[in-house]
PDB file of all heavy atoms in Angstrom:
ATOM      1  N   ALA A   1      29.542  27.940 -59.689  1.00 95.00           N
ATOM      2  CA  ALA A   1      29.734  27.487 -58.305  1.00 95.00           C
ATOM      3  C   ALA A   1      31.029  26.670 -58.174  1.00 95.00           C
ATOM      4  O   ALA A   1      31.790  26.836 -57.189  1.00 95.00           O
ATOM      5  CB  ALA A   1      28.551  26.652 -57.852  1.00 95.00           C
ATOM      6  N   ALA A   2      31.278  25.801 -59.161  1.00 96.00           N
ATOM      7  CA  ALA A   2      32.486  24.973 -59.124  1.00 96.00           C
ATOM      8  C   ALA A   2      33.732  25.849 -59.142  1.00 96.00           C
ATOM      9  O   ALA A   2      34.697  25.593 -58.417  1.00 96.00           O
ATOM     10  CB  ALA A   2      32.488  24.006 -60.288  1.00 96.00           C
ATOM     11  N   ALA A   3      33.741  26.893 -59.968  1.00 96.00           N
ATOM     12  CA  ALA A   3      34.901  27.768 -60.067  1.00 96.00           C
ATOM     13  C   ALA A   3      35.158  28.463 -58.732  1.00 96.00           C
ATOM     14  O   ALA A   3      36.290  28.596 -58.272  1.00 96.00           O
ATOM     15  CB  ALA A   3      34.704  28.794 -61.167  1.00 96.00           C
ATOM     16  N   LEU A   4      34.084  28.931 -58.073  1.00 95.00           N
ATOM     17  CA  LEU A   4      34.238  29.595 -56.767  1.00 95.00           C
ATOM     18  C   LEU A   4      34.761  28.632 -55.717  1.00 95.00           C
ATOM     19  O   LEU A   4      35.664  28.962 -54.942  1.00 95.00           O
ATOM     20  CB  LEU A   4      32.890  30.176 -56.346  1.00 95.00           C
ATOM     21  CG  LEU A   4      32.376  31.396 -57.127  1.00 95.00           C
ATOM     22  CD1 LEU A   4      30.906  31.650 -56.748  1.00 95.00           C
ATOM     23  CD2 LEU A   4      33.219  32.599 -56.838  1.00 95.00           C
ATOM     24  N   ILE A   5      34.191  27.447 -55.681  1.00 95.00           N
ATOM     25  CA  ILE A   5      34.599  26.465 -54.659  1.00 95.00           C
ATOM     26  C   ILE A   5      36.019  25.976 -54.906  1.00 95.00           C
ATOM     27  O   ILE A   5      36.800  25.829 -53.971  1.00 95.00           O
ATOM     28  CB  ILE A   5      33.586  25.286 -54.667  1.00 95.00           C
ATOM     29  CG1 ILE A   5      32.306  25.717 -53.936  1.00 95.00           C
ATOM     30  CG2 ILE A   5      34.169  24.036 -54.023  1.00 95.00           C
ATOM     31  CD1 ILE A   5      31.163  24.757 -54.005  1.00 95.00           C
ATOM     32  N   ASP A   6      36.368  25.727 -56.156  1.00 96.00           N
ATOM     33  CA  ASP A   6      37.714  25.219 -56.463  1.00 96.00           C
ATOM     34  C   ASP A   6      38.781  26.252 -56.090  1.00 96.00           C
ATOM     35  O   ASP A   6      39.944  25.888 -55.843  1.00 96.00           O
ATOM     36  CB  ASP A   6      37.834  24.853 -57.935  1.00 96.00           C
ATOM     37  CG  ASP A   6      37.030  23.633 -58.308  1.00 96.00           C
ATOM     38  OD1 ASP A   6      36.651  22.876 -57.368  1.00 96.00           O
ATOM     39  OD2 ASP A   6      36.747  23.409 -59.486  1.00 96.00           O
ATOM     40  N   ALA A   7      38.410  27.511 -56.079  1.00 96.00           N
ATOM     41  CA  ALA A   7      39.385  28.583 -55.757  1.00 96.00           C
ATOM     42  C   ALA A   7      39.590  28.741 -54.253  1.00 96.00           C
ATOM     43  O   ALA A   7      40.534  29.399 -53.826  1.00 96.00           O
ATOM     44  CB  ALA A   7      38.925  29.914 -56.374  1.00 96.00           C
ATOM     45  N   LEU A   8      38.713  28.164 -53.433  1.00 95.00           N
ATOM     46  CA  LEU A   8      38.811  28.342 -51.995  1.00 95.00           C
ATOM     47  C   LEU A   8      39.826  27.387 -51.380  1.00 95.00           C
ATOM     48  O   LEU A   8      39.850  26.186 -51.714  1.00 95.00           O
ATOM     49  CB  LEU A   8      37.446  28.080 -51.333  1.00 95.00           C
ATOM     50  CG  LEU A   8      36.356  29.134 -51.523  1.00 95.00           C
ATOM     51  CD1 LEU A   8      35.045  28.593 -50.905  1.00 95.00           C
ATOM     52  CD2 LEU A   8      36.762  30.428 -50.857  1.00 95.00           C
ATOM     53  N   PRO A   9      40.642  27.856 -50.460  1.00 95.00           N
ATOM     54  CA  PRO A   9      41.522  26.937 -49.709  1.00 95.00           C
ATOM     55  C   PRO A   9      40.695  26.096 -48.766  1.00 95.00           C
ATOM     56  O   PRO A   9      39.575  26.455 -48.405  1.00 95.00           O
ATOM     57  CB  PRO A   9      42.455  27.881 -48.945  1.00 95.00           C
ATOM     58  CG  PRO A   9      41.704  29.157 -48.840  1.00 95.00           C
ATOM     59  CD  PRO A   9      40.863  29.270 -50.071  1.00 95.00           C
ATOM     60  N   ASP A  10      41.245  24.955 -48.344  1.00 94.00           N
ATOM     61  CA  ASP A  10      40.504  24.006 -47.518  1.00 94.00           C
ATOM     62  C   ASP A  10      40.000  24.643 -46.237  1.00 94.00           C
ATOM     63  O   ASP A  10      38.878  24.352 -45.783  1.00 94.00           O
ATOM     64  CB  ASP A  10      41.377  22.792 -47.189  1.00 94.00           C
ATOM     65  CG  ASP A  10      41.546  21.875 -48.363  1.00 94.00           C
ATOM     66  OD1 ASP A  10      40.896  22.108 -49.407  1.00 94.00           O
ATOM     67  OD2 ASP A  10      42.347  20.920 -48.273  1.00 94.00           O
ATOM     68  N   GLU A  11      40.810  25.521 -45.617  1.00 94.00           N
ATOM     69  CA  GLU A  11      40.399  26.084 -44.344  1.00 94.00           C
ATOM     70  C   GLU A  11      39.171  26.974 -44.463  1.00 94.00           C
ATOM     71  O   GLU A  11      38.334  27.082 -43.555  1.00 94.00           O
ATOM     72  CB  GLU A  11      41.549  26.866 -43.696  1.00 94.00           C
ATOM     73  CG  GLU A  11      42.138  27.974 -44.583  1.00 94.00           C
ATOM     74  CD  GLU A  11      43.354  27.465 -45.384  1.00 94.00           C
ATOM     75  OE1 GLU A  11      43.388  26.246 -45.684  1.00 94.00           O
ATOM     76  OE2 GLU A  11      44.218  28.306 -45.699  1.00 94.00           O
ATOM     77  N   ASP A  12      38.987  27.655 -45.616  1.00 95.00           N
ATOM     78  CA  ASP A  12      37.784  28.425 -45.838  1.00 95.00           C
ATOM     79  C   ASP A  12      36.613  27.530 -46.202  1.00 95.00           C
ATOM     80  O   ASP A  12      35.473  27.730 -45.760  1.00 95.00           O
ATOM     81  CB  ASP A  12      38.017  29.459 -46.955  1.00 95.00           C
ATOM     82  CG  ASP A  12      38.983  30.578 -46.514  1.00 95.00           C
ATOM     83  OD1 ASP A  12      39.168  30.756 -45.306  1.00 95.00           O
ATOM     84  OD2 ASP A  12      39.519  31.251 -47.419  1.00 95.00           O
ATOM     85  N   LEU A  13      36.900  26.542 -47.034  1.00 94.00           N
ATOM     86  CA  LEU A  13      35.843  25.638 -47.473  1.00 94.00           C
ATOM     87  C   LEU A  13      35.242  24.854 -46.320  1.00 94.00           C
ATOM     88  O   LEU A  13      34.061  24.523 -46.311  1.00 94.00           O
ATOM     89  CB  LEU A  13      36.388  24.668 -48.525  1.00 94.00           C
ATOM     90  CG  LEU A  13      35.377  23.891 -49.330  1.00 94.00           C
ATOM     91  CD1 LEU A  13      34.544  24.820 -50.186  1.00 94.00           C
ATOM     92  CD2 LEU A  13      36.056  22.858 -50.197  1.00 94.00           C
ATOM     93  N   ALA A  14      36.063  24.581 -45.325  1.00 94.00           N
ATOM     94  CA  ALA A  14      35.629  23.796 -44.163  1.00 94.00           C
ATOM     95  C   ALA A  14      34.433  24.428 -43.440  1.00 94.00           C
ATOM     96  O   ALA A  14      33.666  23.734 -42.778  1.00 94.00           O
ATOM     97  CB  ALA A  14      36.785  23.599 -43.177  1.00 94.00           C
ATOM     98  N   ARG A  15      34.270  25.750 -43.589  1.00 94.00           N
ATOM     99  CA  ARG A  15      33.189  26.454 -42.923  1.00 94.00           C
ATOM    100  C   ARG A  15      31.844  26.243 -43.643  1.00 94.00           C
ATOM    101  O   ARG A  15      30.790  26.524 -43.083  1.00 94.00           O
ATOM    102  CB  ARG A  15      33.493  27.929 -42.800  1.00 94.00           C
ATOM    103  CG  ARG A  15      34.662  28.228 -41.870  1.00 94.00           C
ATOM    104  CD  ARG A  15      34.662  29.690 -41.413  1.00 94.00           C
ATOM    105  NE  ARG A  15      34.973  30.609 -42.520  1.00 94.00           N
ATOM    106  CZ  ARG A  15      36.195  31.013 -42.810  1.00 94.00           C
ATOM    107  NH1 ARG A  15      37.232  30.570 -42.105  1.00 94.00           N
ATOM    108  NH2 ARG A  15      36.413  31.840 -43.780  1.00 94.00           N
ATOM    109  N   ARG A  16      31.915  25.828 -44.914  1.00 92.00           N
ATOM    110  CA  ARG A  16      30.682  25.625 -45.687  1.00 92.00           C
ATOM    111  C   ARG A  16      30.755  24.382 -46.553  1.00 92.00           C
ATOM    112  O   ARG A  16      30.558  24.409 -47.779  1.00 92.00           O
ATOM    113  CB  ARG A  16      30.400  26.854 -46.558  1.00 92.00           C
ATOM    114  CG  ARG A  16      29.850  28.055 -45.797  1.00 92.00           C
ATOM    115  CD  ARG A  16      28.556  27.746 -45.034  1.00 92.00           C
ATOM    116  NE  ARG A  16      27.520  27.230 -45.903  1.00 92.00           N
ATOM    117  CZ  ARG A  16      26.683  27.982 -46.566  1.00 92.00           C
ATOM    118  NH1 ARG A  16      26.724  29.291 -46.469  1.00 92.00           N
ATOM    119  NH2 ARG A  16      25.746  27.429 -47.328  1.00 92.00           N
ATOM    120  N   LEU A  17      31.060  23.241 -45.920  1.00 94.00           N
ATOM    121  CA  LEU A  17      31.147  22.005 -46.700  1.00 94.00           C
ATOM    122  C   LEU A  17      29.803  21.609 -47.308  1.00 94.00           C
ATOM    123  O   LEU A  17      29.744  20.905 -48.299  1.00 94.00           O
ATOM    124  CB  LEU A  17      31.623  20.862 -45.796  1.00 94.00           C
ATOM    125  CG  LEU A  17      33.144  20.773 -45.574  1.00 94.00           C
ATOM    126  CD1 LEU A  17      33.485  19.606 -44.691  1.00 94.00           C
ATOM    127  CD2 LEU A  17      33.875  20.680 -46.887  1.00 94.00           C
ATOM    128  N   ASP A  18      28.701  22.093 -46.713  1.00 93.00           N
ATOM    129  CA  ASP A  18      27.379  21.782 -47.258  1.00 93.00           C
ATOM    130  C   ASP A  18      27.258  22.294 -48.696  1.00 93.00           C
ATOM    131  O   ASP A  18      26.534  21.714 -49.526  1.00 93.00           O
ATOM    132  CB  ASP A  18      26.282  22.362 -46.401  1.00 93.00           C
ATOM    133  CG  ASP A  18      26.389  23.885 -46.242  1.00 93.00           C
ATOM    134  OD1 ASP A  18      27.493  24.362 -45.921  1.00 93.00           O
ATOM    135  OD2 ASP A  18      25.381  24.575 -46.441  1.00 93.00           O
ATOM    136  N   ALA A  19      27.947  23.405 -49.021  1.00 94.00           N
ATOM    137  CA  ALA A  19      27.917  23.931 -50.378  1.00 94.00           C
ATOM    138  C   ALA A  19      28.509  22.969 -51.371  1.00 94.00           C
ATOM    139  O   ALA A  19      28.021  22.785 -52.486  1.00 94.00           O
ATOM    140  CB  ALA A  19      28.642  25.278 -50.441  1.00 94.00           C
ATOM    141  N   VAL A  20      29.610  22.306 -50.969  1.00 95.00           N
ATOM    142  CA  VAL A  20      30.268  21.368 -51.865  1.00 95.00           C
ATOM    143  C   VAL A  20      29.431  20.101 -52.014  1.00 95.00           C
ATOM    144  O   VAL A  20      29.361  19.488 -53.093  1.00 95.00           O
ATOM    145  CB  VAL A  20      31.666  20.996 -51.363  1.00 95.00           C
ATOM    146  CG1 VAL A  20      32.507  20.436 -52.505  1.00 95.00           C
ATOM    147  CG2 VAL A  20      32.372  22.187 -50.777  1.00 95.00           C
ATOM    148  N   VAL A  21      28.765  19.704 -50.918  1.00 94.00           N
ATOM    149  CA  VAL A  21      27.851  18.540 -50.986  1.00 94.00           C
ATOM    150  C   VAL A  21      26.753  18.814 -52.000  1.00 94.00           C
ATOM    151  O   VAL A  21      26.437  17.951 -52.828  1.00 94.00           O
ATOM    152  CB  VAL A  21      27.252  18.253 -49.591  1.00 94.00           C
ATOM    153  CG1 VAL A  21      26.176  17.168 -49.676  1.00 94.00           C
ATOM    154  CG2 VAL A  21      28.340  17.834 -48.617  1.00 94.00           C
ATOM    155  N   ASP A  22      26.172  20.012 -51.913  1.00 95.00           N
ATOM    156  CA  ASP A  22      25.089  20.365 -52.878  1.00 95.00           C
ATOM    157  C   ASP A  22      25.614  20.412 -54.302  1.00 95.00           C
ATOM    158  O   ASP A  22      24.913  19.979 -55.245  1.00 95.00           O
ATOM    159  CB  ASP A  22      24.488  21.714 -52.505  1.00 95.00           C
ATOM    160  CG  ASP A  22      23.680  21.651 -51.204  1.00 95.00           C
ATOM    161  OD1 ASP A  22      23.344  20.534 -50.788  1.00 95.00           O
ATOM    162  OD2 ASP A  22      23.427  22.715 -50.625  1.00 95.00           O
ATOM    163  N   LEU A  23      26.811  20.946 -54.479  1.00 97.00           N
ATOM    164  CA  LEU A  23      27.384  21.039 -55.823  1.00 97.00           C
ATOM    165  C   LEU A  23      27.611  19.637 -56.397  1.00 97.00           C
ATOM    166  O   LEU A  23      27.224  19.390 -57.542  1.00 97.00           O
ATOM    167  CB  LEU A  23      28.703  21.784 -55.768  1.00 97.00           C
ATOM    168  CG  LEU A  23      29.514  21.843 -57.081  1.00 97.00           C
ATOM    169  CD1 LEU A  23      28.727  22.555 -58.176  1.00 97.00           C
ATOM    170  CD2 LEU A  23      30.872  22.500 -56.847  1.00 97.00           C
ATOM    171  N   ALA A  24      28.205  18.736 -55.625  1.00 96.00           N
ATOM    172  CA  ALA A  24      28.486  17.373 -56.111  1.00 96.00           C
ATOM    173  C   ALA A  24      27.167  16.684 -56.464  1.00 96.00           C
ATOM    174  O   ALA A  24      27.064  15.977 -57.470  1.00 96.00           O
ATOM    175  CB  ALA A  24      29.246  16.581 -55.079  1.00 96.00           C
ATOM    176  N   GLY A  25      26.159  16.890 -55.623  1.00 93.00           N
ATOM    177  CA  GLY A  25      24.857  16.288 -55.900  1.00 93.00           C
ATOM    178  C   GLY A  25      24.248  16.811 -57.206  1.00 93.00           C
ATOM    179  O   GLY A  25      23.685  16.038 -58.006  1.00 93.00           O
ATOM    180  N   ALA A  26      24.385  18.100 -57.449  1.00 95.00           N
ATOM    181  CA  ALA A  26      23.874  18.693 -58.697  1.00 95.00           C
ATOM    182  C   ALA A  26      24.632  18.159 -59.879  1.00 95.00           C
ATOM    183  O   ALA A  26      24.047  17.880 -60.957  1.00 95.00           O
ATOM    184  CB  ALA A  26      23.981  20.202 -58.611  1.00 95.00           C
ATOM    185  N   GLU A  27      25.936  18.004 -59.729  1.00 96.00           N
ATOM    186  CA  GLU A  27      26.757  17.540 -60.874  1.00 96.00           C
ATOM    187  C   GLU A  27      26.398  16.115 -61.269  1.00 96.00           C
ATOM    188  O   GLU A  27      26.456  15.777 -62.457  1.00 96.00           O
ATOM    189  CB  GLU A  27      28.228  17.648 -60.497  1.00 96.00           C
ATOM    190  CG  GLU A  27      28.733  19.079 -60.505  1.00 96.00           C
ATOM    191  CD  GLU A  27      30.085  19.278 -59.861  1.00 96.00           C
ATOM    192  OE1 GLU A  27      30.442  18.479 -58.956  1.00 96.00           O
ATOM    193  OE2 GLU A  27      30.780  20.237 -60.227  1.00 96.00           O
ATOM    194  N   ILE A  28      25.976  15.288 -60.308  1.00 93.00           N
ATOM    195  CA  ILE A  28      25.537  13.919 -60.650  1.00 93.00           C
ATOM    196  C   ILE A  28      24.355  13.981 -61.626  1.00 93.00           C
ATOM    197  O   ILE A  28      24.221  13.159 -62.534  1.00 93.00           O
ATOM    198  CB  ILE A  28      25.106  13.190 -59.358  1.00 93.00           C
ATOM    199  CG1 ILE A  28      26.346  12.730 -58.585  1.00 93.00           C
ATOM    200  CG2 ILE A  28      24.207  11.985 -59.679  1.00 93.00           C
ATOM    201  CD1 ILE A  28      27.117  11.598 -59.218  1.00 93.00           C
ATOM    202  N   TYR A  29      23.491  14.982 -61.444  1.00 91.00           N
ATOM    203  CA  TYR A  29      22.300  15.109 -62.270  1.00 91.00           C
ATOM    204  C   TYR A  29      22.557  15.796 -63.619  1.00 91.00           C
ATOM    205  O   TYR A  29      21.673  15.935 -64.427  1.00 91.00           O
ATOM    206  CB  TYR A  29      21.204  15.901 -61.530  1.00 91.00           C
ATOM    207  CG  TYR A  29      20.536  15.095 -60.440  1.00 91.00           C
ATOM    208  CD1 TYR A  29      21.104  14.969 -59.179  1.00 91.00           C
ATOM    209  CD2 TYR A  29      19.333  14.417 -60.683  1.00 91.00           C
ATOM    210  CE1 TYR A  29      20.492  14.234 -58.186  1.00 91.00           C
ATOM    211  CE2 TYR A  29      18.705  13.681 -59.680  1.00 91.00           C
ATOM    212  CZ  TYR A  29      19.302  13.588 -58.445  1.00 91.00           C
ATOM    213  OH  TYR A  29      18.686  12.839 -57.469  1.00 91.00           O
ATOM    214  N   LEU A  30      23.789  16.245 -63.821  1.00 95.00           N
ATOM    215  CA  LEU A  30      24.099  17.026 -65.006  1.00 95.00           C
ATOM    216  C   LEU A  30      25.211  16.415 -65.859  1.00 95.00           C
ATOM    217  O   LEU A  30      25.927  17.122 -66.564  1.00 95.00           O
ATOM    218  CB  LEU A  30      24.473  18.463 -64.608  1.00 95.00           C
ATOM    219  CG  LEU A  30      23.358  19.293 -64.003  1.00 95.00           C
ATOM    220  CD1 LEU A  30      23.880  20.585 -63.408  1.00 95.00           C
ATOM    221  CD2 LEU A  30      22.272  19.572 -65.028  1.00 95.00           C
ATOM    222  N   ASP A  31      25.364  15.077 -65.768  1.00 94.00           N
ATOM    223  CA  ASP A  31      26.364  14.381 -66.582  1.00 94.00           C
ATOM    224  C   ASP A  31      27.802  14.775 -66.239  1.00 94.00           C
ATOM    225  O   ASP A  31      28.690  14.534 -67.040  1.00 94.00           O
ATOM    226  CB  ASP A  31      26.132  14.611 -68.089  1.00 94.00           C
ATOM    227  CG  ASP A  31      24.918  13.912 -68.619  1.00 94.00           C
ATOM    228  OD1 ASP A  31      24.289  13.139 -67.877  1.00 94.00           O
ATOM    229  OD2 ASP A  31      24.615  14.080 -69.816  1.00 94.00           O
ATOM    230  N   ARG A  32      28.037  15.359 -65.085  1.00 96.00           N
ATOM    231  CA  ARG A  32      29.398  15.820 -64.733  1.00 96.00           C
ATOM    232  C   ARG A  32      29.958  14.890 -63.635  1.00 96.00           C
ATOM    233  O   ARG A  32      30.231  15.294 -62.518  1.00 96.00           O
ATOM    234  CB  ARG A  32      29.335  17.259 -64.237  1.00 96.00           C
ATOM    235  CG  ARG A  32      28.783  18.218 -65.295  1.00 96.00           C
ATOM    236  CD  ARG A  32      28.831  19.670 -64.863  1.00 96.00           C
ATOM    237  NE  ARG A  32      28.268  20.531 -65.899  1.00 96.00           N
ATOM    238  CZ  ARG A  32      28.480  21.832 -65.993  1.00 96.00           C
ATOM    239  NH1 ARG A  32      29.270  22.438 -65.131  1.00 96.00           N
ATOM    240  NH2 ARG A  32      27.902  22.543 -66.938  1.00 96.00           N
ATOM    241  N   PHE A  33      30.180  13.653 -64.018  1.00 96.00           N
ATOM    242  CA  PHE A  33      30.524  12.619 -63.048  1.00 96.00           C
ATOM    243  C   PHE A  33      31.942  12.801 -62.515  1.00 96.00           C
ATOM    244  O   PHE A  33      32.181  12.589 -61.313  1.00 96.00           O
ATOM    245  CB  PHE A  33      30.311  11.248 -63.661  1.00 96.00           C
ATOM    246  CG  PHE A  33      28.954  11.027 -64.222  1.00 96.00           C
ATOM    247  CD1 PHE A  33      28.736  10.880 -65.577  1.00 96.00           C
ATOM    248  CD2 PHE A  33      27.843  11.054 -63.387  1.00 96.00           C
ATOM    249  CE1 PHE A  33      27.481  10.723 -66.099  1.00 96.00           C
ATOM    250  CE2 PHE A  33      26.569  10.871 -63.872  1.00 96.00           C
ATOM    251  CZ  PHE A  33      26.386  10.723 -65.248  1.00 96.00           C
ATOM    252  N   GLU A  34      32.866  13.148 -63.355  1.00 95.00           N
ATOM    253  CA  GLU A  34      34.240  13.371 -62.897  1.00 95.00           C
ATOM    254  C   GLU A  34      34.290  14.535 -61.882  1.00 95.00           C
ATOM    255  O   GLU A  34      34.942  14.436 -60.847  1.00 95.00           O
ATOM    256  CB  GLU A  34      35.166  13.660 -64.069  1.00 95.00           C
ATOM    257  CG  GLU A  34      36.612  13.818 -63.674  1.00 95.00           C
ATOM    258  CD  GLU A  34      37.518  14.075 -64.864  1.00 95.00           C
ATOM    259  OE1 GLU A  34      37.098  13.875 -66.015  1.00 95.00           O
ATOM    260  OE2 GLU A  34      38.686  14.467 -64.634  1.00 95.00           O
ATOM    261  N   ASP A  35      33.591  15.621 -62.210  1.00 96.00           N
ATOM    262  CA  ASP A  35      33.560  16.763 -61.294  1.00 96.00           C
ATOM    263  C   ASP A  35      32.862  16.400 -59.995  1.00 96.00           C
ATOM    264  O   ASP A  35      33.305  16.824 -58.914  1.00 96.00           O
ATOM    265  CB  ASP A  35      32.834  17.962 -61.951  1.00 96.00           C
ATOM    266  CG  ASP A  35      33.620  18.565 -63.090  1.00 96.00           C
ATOM    267  OD1 ASP A  35      34.847  18.365 -63.121  1.00 96.00           O
ATOM    268  OD2 ASP A  35      33.034  19.232 -63.941  1.00 96.00           O
ATOM    269  N   ALA A  36      31.768  15.668 -60.083  1.00 96.00           N
ATOM    270  CA  ALA A  36      31.030  15.242 -58.875  1.00 96.00           C
ATOM    271  C   ALA A  36      31.936  14.418 -57.990  1.00 96.00           C
ATOM    272  O   ALA A  36      31.982  14.595 -56.770  1.00 96.00           O
ATOM    273  CB  ALA A  36      29.798  14.447 -59.238  1.00 96.00           C
ATOM    274  N   GLY A  37      32.691  13.496 -58.593  1.00 95.00           N
ATOM    275  CA  GLY A  37      33.598  12.656 -57.831  1.00 95.00           C
ATOM    276  C   GLY A  37      34.697  13.486 -57.135  1.00 95.00           C
ATOM    277  O   GLY A  37      35.015  13.285 -55.951  1.00 95.00           O
ATOM    278  N   ARG A  38      35.247  14.422 -57.892  1.00 95.00           N
ATOM    279  CA  ARG A  38      36.322  15.257 -57.349  1.00 95.00           C
ATOM    280  C   ARG A  38      35.833  16.097 -56.175  1.00 95.00           C
ATOM    281  O   ARG A  38      36.521  16.213 -55.149  1.00 95.00           O
ATOM    282  CB  ARG A  38      36.843  16.188 -58.471  1.00 95.00           C
ATOM    283  CG  ARG A  38      37.924  17.138 -58.065  1.00 95.00           C
ATOM    284  CD  ARG A  38      38.549  17.763 -59.310  1.00 95.00           C
ATOM    285  NE  ARG A  38      37.571  18.395 -60.186  1.00 95.00           N
ATOM    286  CZ  ARG A  38      37.104  19.607 -60.004  1.00 95.00           C
ATOM    287  NH1 ARG A  38      37.526  20.345 -58.964  1.00 95.00           N
ATOM    288  NH2 ARG A  38      36.229  20.148 -60.868  1.00 95.00           N
TER     289      ARG A  38
END
């Protein structure tokens, strides 16, 4: 999921920001704090 999201330009990502919110939340639970913050 991170690879897909990181490859998207901001204008495309803006249509599904909820996906990034879910990803960051999942990363908090998986010891991926730097990625979650980013």
Side-chain angles (χ1 to χ4, degrees):
L4 289 168
I5 283 172
D6 290 342
L8 287 174
D10 287 353
E11 55 267 28
D12 290 341
L13 194 65
R15 294 199 291 268
R16 284 302 304 273
L17 279 181
D18 59 310
V20 200
V21 173
D22 290 343
L23 174 62
E27 286 167 333
I28 284 288
Y29 285 83
L30 293 170
D31 287 356
R32 301 184 181 199
F33 306 113
E34 182 179 347
D35 290 339
R38 178 168 55 83

